[in-house]
Structures are given as structure tokens and as C-alpha cells.
Amino acid sequence: MVVTDAKEYDLPTGSGRIRVREVGDGPPLVVLHGGPGLDHRYLVPDLDALAASFRVVYYAQRGRGASHSGEGPEDVSIASDVADLDQLRRHLGESRVALLGHSWGGLVATEYALAHPQRVSRLVLLSPSPVSHAGHVAQVSEWTARRTPEQAAELERISADPAYQAGDIAADAAYALTHFASTVVDPAHLETLVGKLRLSYTPATIVAVRAISRRLLAETLLREDYDLLPRLRELPVPTMVITGDDEFAPMSVMRELAEAIPGARLEVLAGAGHFPYLERPDDCWRLVSEFAAP
């Protein structure tokens, strides 16, 4: 789908701002990108397909990519991410919005839904991050096991390179090519995906965002007591979890998440990994459109 009427603007939030991209004119569907150190541009234009049914609202989370305006890790937290999303909802003039969170964005969307359940009409978790420390440990274990010894050595070599440490774009892309190699079923998607991960970045912002990511992970998934699952058992928001059958998080983690939320649906797409919108786009958009429509 080629979209020509997308609009972008900056929305002030807290001491900074977030870059917002809107396309379509239906009911709003707010998209939360993964990372935590990426921004929304890797999802464009793929999710524009949903503009046939929704006003698709992407944004780069505070301090990341197109939204970076000098923030350091002290300026960004899971609480500020939740607050920024609520400010965006208010800006849209909506009492409730549907949320679609991919990967890390699924965790942010879940945190928001727990904080403001009355402000979320539908929750779509697309290949979401685990929402507990235990789930994160299982995911990292699976991801590490998928790497060949050669890939593990390559990641270690690149991460020790001064160019990579300084945020060099080419070195960062080389790292990402190996890092994400086992997250797609069809290798043809890998270079296209990696080519979009840093479209809004400079070497300086890459370094800054790595520090922001470490802060966000330290206060969530790396904390041994971090676990949203018990609270999700009371979540009154219609929820759908979409994942691929070759997702690098163990399927037990995805099932545990879906089963924790009352009435949640789990949809598993065959022949898809962590980016099922690339490998099974028609099925993804059908599921989202049918579920998230008011």
C-alpha cells in the first residue's frame, strides 16, 4: 500500500517532544514500536496497510530516533513512556484508543493498559516482549541458543570495535544483521529490516539511545521482581496476542501472557518469526482489522 497523505509533526511532552506520524482517517490505532532503542520508522510503510480501516498513529518514543532532542537516561523511564502515550491520546481528542504494540512496544502498551484501562478500547500485542523477568530470561536463552558459534563470535567482535561503540552507522548495521538473523524466517526480509532500523539516527543519538535502553531495561525486564502477569489477571481490556510459530521467545511465554489476560486471544501465524507483519502481512492486517475495529 502506497500512502501519500501521511502527516508528521512534533508533539511537546514533558521537557522534550515526540515525533508523530498519522495516516488514514478512521478510528485511531496507536502504534508502539519495539526496541527499546528503535523508533517507528522500521514499521513504515508496512503498517500503513491498516490505514484502510484506521487512523494509524505512529510515534517515536521519548528520546529515541526522530524524537531525540538531547535526552539522556535520566530523562526517560517506563513512567515517562506511559505519560507520553497518555498525552498523545489527549492530543488525539479521544477518551479511549486502540493500541498496537510490537515487541518492546507491547510491554509499554501493557504498562499503559494497566495504568489506564478505561482509556484503552482494544489491545493488540504483536510479537510482544515478555512482561516478566522470568519470561525475559527464557527469551534471551532461546535467542542465544539460536545463534551459531560464528554468529556469537561476530557479535562479540563488533561490540568490541571502537567504531561500533562510537555509534558508527555501518558498524551498528553490521551488528544488527547478525543480532536479528534468527528473528526472521525468510532471510530476504533481513537486509530491508536492518536498513530501516536507524533511519532517524546519527552516531551521537545511537550512543545516547543505548544508554536510554539500558535504563529502561534495568527498571523493567532486568529486575528480578518485575512481573506484570499477576496484575494482568484483572485487566478488563479486550486483548489479542499475535505471534509467529518461529518467534524467538518460547511459545510457552506467549501462551502465559495470553492466558493471564481474561478472554485474550492468541493467534499463531505459521511461517513467521518476530516480524510477522513482514512474513504474513495479509493475515496480520486481517486479524488486527477484525479485532480492533470499534
Side-chain angles (χ1 to χ4, degrees):
M1 179 178 183
V2 178
V3 173
T4 59
D5 62 346
K7 64 177 182 178
E8 294 200 22
Y9 56 90
D10 287 335
L11 177 67
T13 58
S15 60
R17 44 86 175 172
I18 56 173
R19 175 66 55 82
V20 182
R21 179 181 188 274
E22 294 189 27
V23 60
D25 55 8
L29 175 67
V30 179
V31 174
L32 293 94
H33 64 77
L38 303 177
D39 79 351
H40 64 294
R41 292 188 68 184
Y42 77 91
L43 296 166
V44 177
D46 303 279
L47 271 64
D48 284 357
L50 291 167
S53 303
F54 302 96
R55 175 187 177 190
V56 183
V57 183
Y58 307 81
Y59 72 103
Q61 293 155 30
R62 183 188 295 200
R64 278 148 280 179
S67 291
H68 187 79
S69 56
E71 292 87 356
E74 68 280 1
D75 302 308
V76 182
S77 65
I78 193 67
S80 69
D81 277 353
V82 168
D84 289 350
L85 176 52
D86 200 49
Q87 185 159 344
L88 175 58
R89 177 198 59 80
R90 293 195 302 271
H91 169 77
L92 296 173
E94 301 288 339
S95 60
R96 299 198 306 164
V97 291
L99 301 179
L100 187 158
H102 175 247
S103 193
W104 166 263
L107 184 148
V108 179
T110 302
E111 286 269 12
Y112 182 85
L114 286 168
H116 305 293
Q118 74 281 9
R119 299 174 190 171
V120 182
S121 60
R122 293 287 190 278
L123 181 61
V124 179
L125 304 176
L126 179 60
S127 292
S129 163
V131 296
S132 70
H133 174 73
H136 174 69
V137 169
Q139 182 184 59
V140 170
S141 177
E142 172 67 18
W143 200 353
T144 302
R146 288 179 174 221
R147 292 180 182 142
T148 66
E150 293 77 17
Q151 288 173 329
E154 179 69 356
L155 291 175
E156 186 173 346
R157 182 192 68 78
I158 296 173
S159 63
D161 185 342
Y164 174 80
Q165 294 172 1
D168 179 79
I169 300 290
D172 188 81
Y175 186 94
L177 278 170
T178 301
H179 183 65
F180 287 105
S182 65
T183 67
V184 294
V185 173
D186 184 351
H189 293 300
L190 184 60
E191 287 198 18
T192 300
L193 172 68
V194 169
K196 296 196 291 183
L197 295 180
R198 296 302 195 193
L199 289 174
S200 303
Y201 284 81
T202 66
T205 56
I206 287 176
V207 172
V209 166
R210 287 175 184 163
I212 289 170
S213 295
R214 289 193 293 270
R215 156 75 189 273
L216 288 166
L217 290 171
E219 68 171 355
T220 57
L221 295 172
L222 296 182
R223 264 181 38 210
E224 291 187 2
D225 63 343
Y226 185 76
D227 187 357
L228 301 183
L229 293 168
R231 295 169 59 200
L232 288 176
R233 296 189 178 97
E234 304 297 326
L235 185 67
V237 177
T239 301
M240 179 167 62
V241 179
I242 303 174
T243 189
D245 65 352
D246 198 39
E247 168 64 57
F248 67 88
M251 190 58 62
S252 60
V253 173
M254 295 294 101
R255 288 198 183 97
E256 182 179 48
L257 172 58
E259 290 171 0
I261 303 171
R265 289 171 54 185
L266 174 63
E267 297 286 348
V268 181
L269 300 179
H274 190 59
F275 302 88
Y277 65 88
L278 295 176
E279 293 163 322
R280 295 288 301 276
D282 291 344
D283 291 311
C284 272
W285 310 147
R286 174 183 56 80
L287 288 169
V288 174
S289 297
E290 292 174 355
F291 178 78

